[in-house]
């Protein structure tokens, strides 16, 4: 299994570029007017719409193991603070990690501050390879990642 770790922060803005792309697709949005009596899941200036996120992410993760015989590569772009508001997502990631014949190519945050339990669990797994992605090496890592994925499929 393969998890890549990406450098957090877009140049000069302190916000992750991939996260910005996800924000445009739904599930996360800038702080709206709060709904009275409703518990909000927040990370910084963003509110996480857990229901929308789960409707988008969970069917995909649940179908990984049922896609028939043979090897599969599952891409999970970001397992971080926002995603961890969803217990069903955490369970689905753990199940996908344990699915025979599945290689996961995913992103996890660089450790800083309070550890995220699922992220640290993933990072410490013996079947996980972490590639640290920086501005300097991001265009050179593809052959190493492809080699790792191919060797994981045997």
């Amino acid at each position: 299994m393969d998890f890549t770790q990406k450098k957090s922060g877009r140049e000069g803005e302190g916000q992750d570029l991939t996260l910005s792309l996800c924000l445009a697709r739904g599930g996360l949005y800038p702080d709206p007017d709060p709904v009275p009596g409703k518990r909000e899941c927040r990370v910084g200036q963003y509110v996480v719409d857990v229901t929308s996120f789960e409707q988008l992410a969970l069917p995909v993760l649940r179908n990984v193991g049922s896609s028939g015989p043979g090897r599969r590569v599952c891409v999970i772009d970001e397992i971080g603070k926002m995603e961890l508001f969803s217990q069903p997502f955490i369970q689905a990631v753990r199940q996908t990690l344990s699915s025979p014949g599945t290689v996961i190519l995913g992103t996890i945050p660089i450790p800083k501050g309070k550890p995220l339990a699922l992220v640290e669990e993933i990072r410490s797994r013996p079947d996980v390879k972490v590639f640290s992605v920086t501005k300097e090496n991001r265009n050179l890592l593809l052959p190493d990642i492809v080699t790792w994925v191919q060797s994981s499929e045997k």
Side-chain angles (χ1 to χ4, degrees):
M1 293 189 192
D2 182 326
F3 277 80
T4 62
Q5 180 173 314
K6 62 186 168 185
K7 184 175 181 180
S8 181
R10 188 166 46 181
E11 294 171 20
E13 293 187 21
Q15 182 176 333
D16 184 291
L17 177 59
T18 305
L19 178 57
S20 297
L21 295 174
C22 291
L23 291 172
R25 301 187 100 196
L28 310 170
Y29 47 88
D31 189 12
D33 294 329
V35 177
K38 184 178 179 190
R39 181 181 164 264
E40 291 183 339
C41 297
R42 301 176 63 89
V43 175
Q45 67 177 342
Y46 294 99
V47 174
V48 182
D49 181 350
V50 176
T51 302
S52 294
F53 168 72
E54 289 176 346
Q55 289 173 346
L56 182 69
L58 294 179
V60 174
L61 286 174
R62 289 181 179 140
N63 285 331
V64 169
S66 63
S67 61
R71 296 288 180 167
R72 295 165 294 283
V73 176
C74 177
V75 178
I76 303 176
D77 183 20
E78 191 81 31
I79 299 174
K81 284 183 182 179
M82 292 185 187
E83 294 77 13
L84 298 184
F85 284 116
S86 169
Q87 286 302 311
F89 175 78
I90 292 170
Q91 293 168 353
V93 168
R94 285 183 174 136
Q95 183 175 4
T96 304
L97 282 164
S98 301
S99 296
T102 301
V103 175
I104 298 177
L105 178 63
T107 59
I108 56 176
I110 294 172
K112 59 183 176 185
K114 183 180 176 187
L116 302 173
L118 180 64
V119 172
E120 295 311 311
E121 176 185 324
I122 292 166
R123 188 186 319 280
S124 66
R125 288 176 62 111
D127 56 350
V128 167
K129 169 84 170 143
V130 175
F131 293 92
S132 213
V133 181
T134 66
K135 182 178 175 183
E136 294 75 29
N137 74 1
R138 66 184 176 199
N139 295 325
L140 305 172
L141 282 176
L142 182 59
D144 294 339
I145 293 170
V146 169
T147 298
W148 174 258
V149 169
Q150 289 173 336
S151 70
S152 298
E153 293 183 331
K154 294 178 181 175

